[in-house]
Amino acid sequence: MKRVIVIFIIISMLFLSSCGGTGGFFDTLVTERALGKTLVKDFFFLIGNDVEAAKNLLHPNFYAENGGFEAFVEDFKQEHNADILDGISIVGWSGEGSGSGYYPADDYKYTYQQYRYELIVGLKPMSIYVEVRTDEYGYGIYAFEESIDQ
């Protein structure tokens, strides 16, 4: 049993030492999540104050299949009876994650950070999922939708 514990400790030390330090995997992950979180918070602030500046924080393919930002605003208003252009206030934060995706047929790969917030959108309380994506097309908010898996 002691031998198993020693082996586990050695493997753990090797893994953790490779993740630590400047430029390590863990540092990169923490930095990407922090940058994404700042981008999302900036979007929340700007959407009710400077729509054009807020639009600059969106991924180039944000809601692209459905007509872009203007169509998103109208669809969101119709579906949720809440207008994001009236402003967004953060009530709470309920989680974050990150990962990557790859579609071999199209040789398309991306990384993402995801965040879940409790918000007041316009005047309506909502749980919202936001995804920040990085891919060959750019960087920015790729998804903004009601979080239904609470």
Side-chain angles (χ1 to χ4, degrees):
M1 182 66 170
K2 289 181 184 179
R3 186 177 212 173
V4 172
I5 293 172
V6 169
I7 291 172
F8 176 75
I9 291 172
I10 290 171
I11 291 173
S12 296
M13 288 174 46
L14 288 173
F15 174 74
L16 292 175
S17 66
S18 68
C19 292
T22 304
F25 172 77
F26 184 72
D27 288 342
T28 302
L29 180 66
V30 169
T31 300
E32 287 174 354
R33 282 191 186 173
L35 289 173
K37 199 171 199 176
T38 299
L39 179 92
V40 170
K41 287 180 177 180
D42 288 349
F43 177 78
F44 292 163
F45 172 76
L46 289 170
I47 198 68
N49 296 296
D50 186 348
V51 175
E52 291 304 312
K55 286 169 55 174
N56 288 330
L57 302 179
L58 298 174
H59 187 277
N61 292 332
F62 176 84
Y63 215 65
E65 294 177 2
N66 298 314
F69 180 75
E70 287 74 17
F72 167 77
V73 170
E74 286 305 312
D75 291 349
F76 193 89
K77 188 185 306 183
Q78 293 297 316
E79 184 176 344
H80 303 291
N81 197 27
D83 189 351
I84 65 168
L85 299 180
D86 287 343
I88 297 174
S89 299
I90 299 172
V91 175
W93 169 83
S94 58
E96 66 183 55
S98 58
S100 62
Y102 178 62
Y103 295 95
D106 300 325
D107 193 30
Y108 172 69
K109 52 189 156 194
Y110 63 94
T111 59
Y112 65 87
Q113 293 79 44
Q114 58 190 14
Y115 308 91
R116 283 187 171 70
Y117 284 94
E118 303 304 320
L119 303 175
I120 303 293
V121 180
L123 297 174
K124 184 176 182 178
M126 299 183 78
S127 180
I128 296 291
Y129 163 84
V130 181
E131 179 182 308
V132 176
R133 184 175 286 196
T134 305
D135 61 15
E136 63 191 70
Y137 303 105
Y139 172 79
I141 295 172
Y142 184 81
F144 181 97
E145 55 197 45
E146 186 173 21
S147 180
I148 55 175
D149 58 351
Q150 292 291 322

